[in-house]
């Protein structure tokens, strides 16, 4: 039998705290037997949410934390000052190996700072990237880095490529994932200084399946499995995905209901449309792991509902069982060996 | 009566050369009386395309150019080597004031290099940006710079903001256009080194309506009229717009025809869907001007059809009549005066 995986969940973070985080955690333990959830936050609130729920009591534990880090707070000050906040308490549990992973929909800045300062980096990892899965035509790709490290250097991007490749292969299950770097043309000589310097380094990596440049146009088509880019660019990609999708969908809906003919048609196509929208909604894949830390930290969208919390928590089991951090350590420390 | 505006058209550039460029040029002269088109390219091919067309002979002139610069050619070598190419011949006409503008769907690299080397920059302009209009929920925004100058400096971005603002106000007709800089958060202290350094400079500009940061998510919603960014980021935005749109539409179409109910609905919503797609298709707005040159250079998509050539050519009339370059010169040279 698999070992029990312990996931600390920040129930105070996000727009729908604490209800949706607690609900998602309960759904996860009810679905997976080898999972224990540690609900971190204000105990009376958590108890209220748990009342009336059915779940295995021995695998759900309340970890009291009285303070809450708000979204607008300067991250470094918040992490240093609020020792009894759900983020600090949860991350310290990961550091002390009382938990295998920490899942939060709270302040992105605080989660990034806390990950580095409290959990700490795996030896050799220069910068831990935030790496969400994004929907493509027929599947998902990993976008790495998508907001953790602006003004990154070429060596950081090479580490992102390696960590992303390990994640896609062993957590998502894509064999020999295609790794590409975001560029403004398909030719090798194109790009800005960062990309031009990084390209030959990636080409020289024998432990990843580097396929060259990818233009932003080809990302939604799924032309690569691991999309390597600097955090500013990654953040723009992630947010524009959402923005273009939302605007286009709202325009289509608006146009359909502007005529009787369209209204009737809209009723008929509604189920198909709904299916497409769901498959193109990034939140269904769970939160984004912050890779390269001594333990797993997963950042969920601020607007997460129970389903995203549940998916994020379940993702942690695979991460632990596949010993992702051991693999990252082996590859990053320079002892690159193919299995 | 308005002065005759002379537009040189590269009929050898793009995937549909020479037919669509010639067709678009003829449609433009037939629609606008104050327009003369100079068709630059291989004369026998142009004569063949013109045969059978009805148009005012005195306002259509063939300018022979025997060579063609291909898309894959290194731009600097091509511009230097192919003196009798349509791009070099057309740009020299702008330089010598034999033409007011040059429109091309040819090699982007060659057009950018040619613009700088052959046409030349307005005194004081550090880098000429490429600035396409992109569709938004209810209109268009100007994306500046979208591929001309990677690794730009803060002073360049400030000039982009000024030039873009002039263009949106006087060519597109948006009064007091809202200028925003692309960033990864809405707060002033967010961003990479370039954006952090540029933000206070933009804030200090009294001649533009600077509204602060814009996140990529809010671009399609039309939250700003002039979207300032560095070329790498701009290129990613432009291409991802296209990529997400295409993938989403193809998924919607696929889902609809997967059931009988959906098929029937699809037939009914087809006209509405088509209207939305057209309004969200960047190519309908014509090509992107390369701003800040002594004369106007417009770069069309490589896949341009007659409609895009026509719109790009007609755009040149407004550009000339509004004396955009005079306005750019006034603002950039430091003599900033409000009208």
């Amino acid at each position: 039998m698999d070992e029990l995986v312990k996931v600390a969940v920040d129930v105070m973070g996000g727009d729908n705290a604490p209800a949706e985080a607690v609900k998602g955690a309960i759904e996860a333990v009810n679905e997976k037997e080898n999972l224990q959830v540690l609900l971190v936050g204000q105990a009376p609130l958590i108890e209220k949410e748990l009342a009336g729920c059915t779940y295995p009591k021995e695998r759900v534990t309340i970890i009291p934390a009285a303070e809450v880090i708000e979204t607008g707070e300067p991250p470094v000050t918040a992490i240093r000052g609020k020792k009894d906040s759900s983020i600090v308490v949860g991350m310290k549990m990961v550091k002390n190996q009382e938990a295998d992973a920490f899942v939060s929909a709270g302040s992105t800045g605080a989660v990034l700072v806390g990950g580095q300062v409290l959990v700490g980096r795996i030896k050799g990892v220069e910068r831990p990237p935030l790496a969400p899965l994004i929907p493509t035509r027929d599947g998902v790709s990993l976008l790495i880095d998508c907001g953790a490290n602006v003004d990154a250097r070429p060596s950081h991007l090479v580490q992102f490529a390696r960590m992303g490749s390990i994640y896609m292969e062993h957590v998502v299950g894509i064999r020999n994932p295609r790794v590409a770097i975001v560029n403004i043309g398909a030719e090798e000589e194109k790009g800005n200084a960062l990309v031009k310097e990084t390209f030959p380094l990636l080409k020289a990596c024998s432990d990843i399946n580097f396929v060259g440049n990818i233009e932003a146009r080809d990302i939604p088509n799924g032309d690569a499995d691991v999309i390597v880019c600097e955090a500013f660019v990654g953040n723009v990609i992630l947010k524009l995905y959402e923005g273009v999708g939302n605007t286009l969908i709202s325009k289509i809906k608006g146009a359909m209901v502007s005529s009787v003919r369209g209204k009737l048609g809209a009723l008929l196509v509604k189920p198909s449309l709904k299916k497409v929208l769901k498959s193109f909604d990034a939140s269904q894949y769970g939160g984004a792991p912050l890779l390269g830390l001594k333990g797993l930290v997963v950042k969920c969208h601020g607007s997460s509902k129970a389903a995203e919390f549940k998916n994020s928590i379940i993702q942690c089991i695979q991460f632990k069982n596949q010993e992702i951090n051991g693999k990252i350590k082996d590859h990053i420390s320079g002892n690159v060996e193919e299995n």
Side-chain angles (χ1 to χ4, degrees), chain A residues 248-297:
Chain A
L248 206 50
I249 296 302
S250 106
K251 277 182 82 91
I252 290 172
K253 283 182 178 166
M256 281 180 186
V257 299
S258 68
S259 73
V260 176
R261 178 186 165 152
K263 267 183 205 163
L264 179 58
L267 274 177
L268 294 169
V269 299
K270 206 176 167 190
S272 319
L273 205 57
K274 225 173 159 177
K275 210 170 109 192
V276 172
L277 299 196
K278 209 189 154 189
S279 79
F280 220 72
D281 173 9
S283 71
Q284 68 157 325
Y285 303 107
L290 187 58
L291 295 176
L293 299 177
K294 296 180 196 153
L296 175 60
V297 170

Side-chain angles (χ1 to χ4, degrees), chain A residues 9 11 16-17 27 57 88 91 115-116 123 153 156 160-161 170 183-184 205 236-237 245 258 273 300 304 308 330 336:
Chain A
V9 181
V11 304
N16 309 304
E27 288 176 9
K57 299 265 180 301
V88 173
M91 288 209 175
Q116 293 227 41
K123 201 181 162 189
R153 292 199 302 271
H156 304 152
F160 299 168
H170 300 285
N183 204 348
I184 58 174
C205 287
V236 164
I237 292 172
S258 68
L273 205 57
C300 299
S304 291
E308 187 177 342
D330 290 348
V336 176

Side-chain angles (χ1 to χ4, degrees), chain A residues 132-134 143 146 233-242 282 301:
Chain A
L133 288 170
I134 53 169
L143 184 63
C146 131
V233 170
N235 195 279
V236 164
I237 292 172
L238 186 72
K239 288 178 178 164
L240 195 61
Y241 238 80
E242 191 186 325
H301 295 88

Side-chain angles (χ1 to χ4, degrees), chain A residues 50-298:
Chain A
L50 287 176
C53 292
T54 308
Y55 56 91
K57 299 265 180 301
E58 70 286 3
R59 292 195 282 117
V60 176
T61 310
I62 296 176
I63 307 292
E67 292 175 293
V68 177
I69 294 178
E70 306 292 344
T71 300
E73 288 185 63
V76 177
T77 323
I79 291 293
R80 277 194 195 143
K82 293 188 167 174
K83 304 279 186 216
D84 197 28
S85 63
S86 51
I87 292 182
V88 173
V89 170
M91 288 209 175
K92 282 198 172 155
M93 293 188 78
V94 175
K95 187 208 166 106
N96 300 333
Q97 300 184 348
E98 296 159 316
D100 297 303
F102 177 64
V103 171
S104 175
S107 152
T108 306
V111 170
L112 296 180
V113 170
Q116 293 227 41
V117 174
L118 301 175
V119 178
R121 285 170 285 150
I122 291 173
K123 201 181 162 189
V125 170
E126 298 178 56
R127 303 247 201 132
L130 195 61
L133 288 170
I134 53 169
T136 59
R137 187 181 300 266
D138 307 305
V140 288
S141 299
L142 191 77
L143 184 63
I144 186 169
D145 174 18
C146 131
N149 311 287
V150 292
D151 300 316
R153 292 199 302 271
S155 62
H156 304 152
L157 266 62
V158 171
Q159 293 197 340
F160 299 168
R162 288 200 160 111
M163 291 191 268
S165 195
I166 293 168
Y167 188 88
M168 278 308 266
E169 177 131 20
H170 300 285
V171 177
V172 183
I174 308 286
R175 267 199 70 175
N176 201 23
R178 295 158 302 162
V179 179
I181 185 165
V182 178
N183 204 348
I184 58 174
E187 306 83 5
E188 185 167 345
E189 70 279 6
K190 288 254 173 141
N192 56 14
L194 175 66
V195 173
K196 279 182 188 166
E197 218 178 307
T198 307
F199 193 102
L201 302 179
L202 289 174
K203 216 174 162 184
C205 287
S206 61
D207 56 336
I208 59 167
N209 175 18
F210 181 56
V211 297
N213 289 321
I214 187 165
E215 288 195 81
R217 177 195 291 132
D218 301 319
I219 296 173
N221 201 36
D223 285 8
D225 303 301
V226 179
I227 314 286
V228 176
C229 56
E230 178 271 328
F232 193 95
V233 170
N235 195 279
V236 164
I237 292 172
L238 186 72
K239 288 178 178 164
L240 195 61
Y241 238 80
E242 191 186 325
V244 171
N246 287 347
T247 298
L248 206 50
I249 296 302
S250 106
K251 277 182 82 91
I252 290 172
K253 283 182 178 166
M256 281 180 186
V257 299
S258 68
S259 73
V260 176
R261 178 186 165 152
K263 267 183 205 163
L264 179 58
L267 274 177
L268 294 169
V269 299
K270 206 176 167 190
S272 319
L273 205 57
K274 225 173 159 177
K275 210 170 109 192
V276 172
L277 299 196
K278 209 189 154 189
S279 79
F280 220 72
D281 173 9
S283 71
Q284 68 157 325
Y285 303 107
L290 187 58
L291 295 176
L293 299 177
K294 296 180 196 153
L296 175 60
V297 170
V298 177

